Amino acid sequence: MYSFKEQIAKKEYRLGELLCVAYLRSLGKEIKDISGNHEGDIVEIREEGARLYEVKTDMIMSTSGNIFVELIEILTAEGIKKKGWFGKTYSYVLYLDWHNKELYIIKAHELAKVLMSESRDGKIVLHEKYVSFGVPIHKDNFKHKVELKEFYGKHERRITEQYAKEVGSK
């Protein structure tokens, strides 16, 4: 059972994923949301194959200014339950600052390049039943940013209706 705070955050995380899917589709991309099988992942279907996107929605980026690069996504007392971003084969990370509706589109190889450009301090984030380990990197290190406030304003109703439909079907 999730606490009230976790339920609200879970809703916002999913709304962020749905916003990213809607945005990519508005660009004419054929997107398959596979987040039910791989939490936070979506696939762009292309003629020459598929492109995997890791989608993250961040609730504190608006105050921290950082993108939290997950090296270990879920670690419990029993060990690593879910690897971080570099344990997956994705093409891009779509990192959404939920409060400002700013989407950072980061190529996987560019993320690795920035991560390895200097020595950095890691951070452990404590969740109710697990911890995550990663490295905060300031958002100014990533140049491809899309403002989605206006887009979200136009599509908020459809996105929230889709979320309500998903929750209602569970």
Side-chain angles (χ1 to χ4, degrees), residues 4-20:
F4 180 72
K5 186 177 177 180
E6 287 175 317
Q7 288 175 13
I8 296 298
K10 191 172 177 146
K11 176 183 178 181
E12 290 172 336
Y13 291 134
R14 183 62 185 143
L15 287 172
E17 292 169 2
L18 293 171
L19 173 58
C20 290

Side-chain angles (χ1 to χ4, degrees), residues 24-60:
L24 291 175
R25 286 183 177 150
S26 77
L27 299 177
K29 297 184 182 293
E30 184 181 343
I31 299 295
K32 180 179 181 186
D33 184 348
I34 60 168
S35 58
N37 300 328
H38 304 84
E39 189 174 319
D41 295 343
I42 60 175
V43 175
E44 175 188 354
I45 309 301
R46 301 174 297 146
E47 286 182 22
E48 65 274 11
R51 178 180 286 163
L52 182 66
Y53 293 83
E54 175 80 13
V55 182
K56 292 294 174 183
T57 303
D58 193 315
M59 302 300 157
I60 62 169

Side-chain angles (χ1 to χ4, degrees), residues 138-150:
H138 197 271
K139 64 184 180 180
D140 290 346
N141 286 286
F142 305 101
K143 303 302 176 210
H144 192 162
K145 177 179 79 171
V146 179
E147 302 285 342
L148 292 180
K149 271 189 181 177
E150 188 176 321

Side-chain angles (χ1 to χ4, degrees), residues 67-72 84-87 90 93 106-123 133-138 141-142:
I67 289 174
F68 187 71
V69 179
E70 292 178 336
L71 302 175
I72 299 173
W85 297 353
F86 294 100
Y90 60 88
V93 171
I106 308 166
K107 291 181 179 177
H109 71 276
E110 290 176 4
L111 177 61
K113 190 175 177 180
V114 169
L115 183 62
M116 296 186 303
S117 67
E118 62 184 75
S119 202
R120 301 176 188 277
D121 292 329
K123 181 177 180 180
F133 176 74
V135 178
I137 300 178
H138 197 271
N141 286 286
F142 305 101

